[in-house]
Amino acid sequence: MRIVIVTGMSGAGKSSALRLFEDMGYYCMDNIPPRLIGNFLELTKSASKNLTRVALGVDIRGREFFEDLQSTVEALKKEKELEVTTLFLTASDEALVRRYKELRRPHPMDKAGNIFDGIQREKQFLEHLRLTSDLVLDTTNKTLGELKEMIDRLFLSQGEKPKLFLSIISFGFKHGIVLDADLVFDVRFINNPYYVPELKHLTGLDAPLKEYVLQFPETEQFLKKISDLLEFLVPYYIREGKRTLTLALGCTGGRHRSVVMAELLGDQLAEHYSGVSVSHRDRHYWK
């Protein structure tokens, strides 16, 4: 089992780091008291799903429990079946003060309403842990994408690549656009089967309607252009830390053309990406 202990300065990005580990397939738990880590690992051994990668967030919020972290890590590293890494996140005083000002939250070691003094107390308290940690990352000028890139580089197994989950949604413009879509494509340029009597009451999941949409050469051209666009975009989305990309394809009512195109695009993308889902928001609308 690979275990990453994520710790460091409050406001340095531990919560963001844990979310990135979760996206990488790690089982994550935040703010766990160090003395309970051993009990937690024993519990995972009896779990129905065998856990091989775990990331645990441990920080000063644990107060008196936090002092047990050093001895707990030393004990874990003696276990032959465990690969333990301590990741310490830090940032400049200016960056930490700015982040706390933006969040408008009190610093856990701020006793008199002075964030800077709280940061200095925490820094002194954690100095030995910083010096003995396996990895120290400074997040002062790092975007989320840059933090992700660093963590990927350090913790992805050899040959393992970051994954991007693709969600494809069909919809009807007359019912409103998909609010959380990253990319929206309008497929109303394809002849509308609504005006073909024998197809009107079908949906894009029915074979005759699919055949109708596929007969137009622009259908194939459109799918190819989207694939080319994604081939260009996906590496940059991954670089910026994006884990889910939502593509919305819309026609007038969301029952015919958009459903066919979403299904076709999903089949096409599934050949190149491991995580692809297709859903049809408005397929059951009929007015």
Side-chain angles (χ1 to χ4, degrees):
M1 180 185 291
R2 185 171 197 179
I3 302 171
V4 180
I5 307 292
V6 183
T7 187
M9 296 292 293
S10 301
K14 296 187 296 297
S15 296
S16 296
L18 280 175
R19 286 192 291 270
L20 293 172
F21 277 109
E22 189 172 31
D23 291 341
M24 292 167 61
Y26 280 71
Y27 182 89
C28 297
M29 181 175 290
D30 193 14
N31 199 22
I32 181 172
R35 66 177 62 176
L36 295 182
I37 292 177
N39 302 71
F40 168 75
L41 295 178
E42 284 297 321
L43 191 63
T44 63
K45 293 178 182 179
S46 61
S48 57
K49 184 178 181 181
N50 186 33
L51 298 178
T52 59
R53 298 192 292 186
V54 174
L56 303 173
V58 184
D59 57 42
I60 204 68
R61 288 174 295 171
R63 302 295 180 179
E64 63 272 13
F65 297 113
F66 188 79
E67 298 180 6
D68 300 323
L69 180 58
Q70 199 74 45
S71 57
T72 299
V73 170
E74 291 174 1
L76 291 175
K77 287 189 173 183
K78 294 178 182 179
E79 300 287 337
K80 293 183 179 180
E81 70 273 15
L82 302 179
E83 179 185 346
V84 183
T85 303
T86 51
L87 172 63
F88 189 99
L89 299 181
T90 187
S92 69
D93 293 346
E94 293 79 6
L96 294 175
V97 170
R98 184 181 68 252
R99 292 171 187 176
Y100 267 97
K101 288 284 188 181
E102 291 172 351
L103 292 173
R104 299 184 179 181
R105 293 182 59 198
H107 189 280
M109 298 194 76
D110 175 12
K111 299 179 180 179
N114 191 312
I115 296 174
F116 183 79
D117 288 348
I119 291 172
Q120 300 312 305
R121 280 193 288 271
E122 183 181 29
K123 187 184 295 185
Q124 184 177 5
F125 184 78
L126 298 181
E127 180 61 13
H128 180 68
L129 179 61
R130 184 184 69 82
L131 293 173
T132 56
S133 291
D134 300 302
L135 297 167
V136 179
L137 294 183
D138 190 323
T139 67
T140 300
N141 297 310
K142 297 291 186 296
T143 64
L144 180 60
E146 290 169 333
L147 177 62
K148 174 196 168 298
E149 188 176 357
M150 289 192 298
I151 289 178
D152 283 347
R153 186 169 64 250
L154 292 169
F155 293 98
L156 282 177
S157 302
Q158 187 174 6
E160 184 181 2
K161 295 182 179 179
K163 295 180 180 179
L164 181 70
F165 183 78
L166 297 174
S167 174
I168 304 169
I169 304 173
S170 71
F171 73 98
F173 278 99
K174 73 177 184 179
H175 304 300
I177 203 167
V178 177
L179 295 179
D180 61 343
D182 298 298
L183 299 171
V184 178
F185 300 98
D186 186 345
V187 299
R188 289 176 293 184
F189 64 88
I190 301 172
N191 286 2
N192 195 346
Y194 178 85
Y195 298 107
V196 180
E198 60 270 25
L199 300 177
K200 179 177 180 179
H201 295 282
L202 301 179
T203 76
L205 297 181
D206 295 309
L209 202 146
K210 181 179 178 180
E211 292 172 5
Y212 175 84
V213 173
L214 277 172
Q215 71 177 313
F216 303 110
E218 56 266 31
T219 298
E220 194 68 33
Q221 293 172 15
F222 178 75
L223 291 171
K224 184 180 185 307
K225 289 185 182 296
I226 291 184
S227 295
D228 291 342
L229 177 63
L230 291 175
E231 185 179 351
F232 168 75
L233 288 176
V234 164
Y236 294 106
Y237 279 127
I238 292 175
R239 185 188 67 183
E240 290 303 308
K242 199 166 186 61
R243 293 298 190 181
T244 301
L245 184 66
T246 301
L247 290 76
L249 289 84
C251 61
T252 304
R255 284 175 52 87
H256 299 131
R257 293 165 290 180
S258 62
V259 174
V260 173
M261 298 302 284
E263 289 288 326
L264 292 172
L265 183 61
D267 291 340
Q268 189 167 299
L269 295 179
E271 298 177 4
H272 306 285
Y273 303 96
S274 57
V276 178
S277 75
V278 179
S279 60
H280 308 292
R281 193 192 70 181
D282 302 327
R283 181 169 64 91
H284 297 292
Y285 272 101
W286 184 253
K287 291 183 180 179

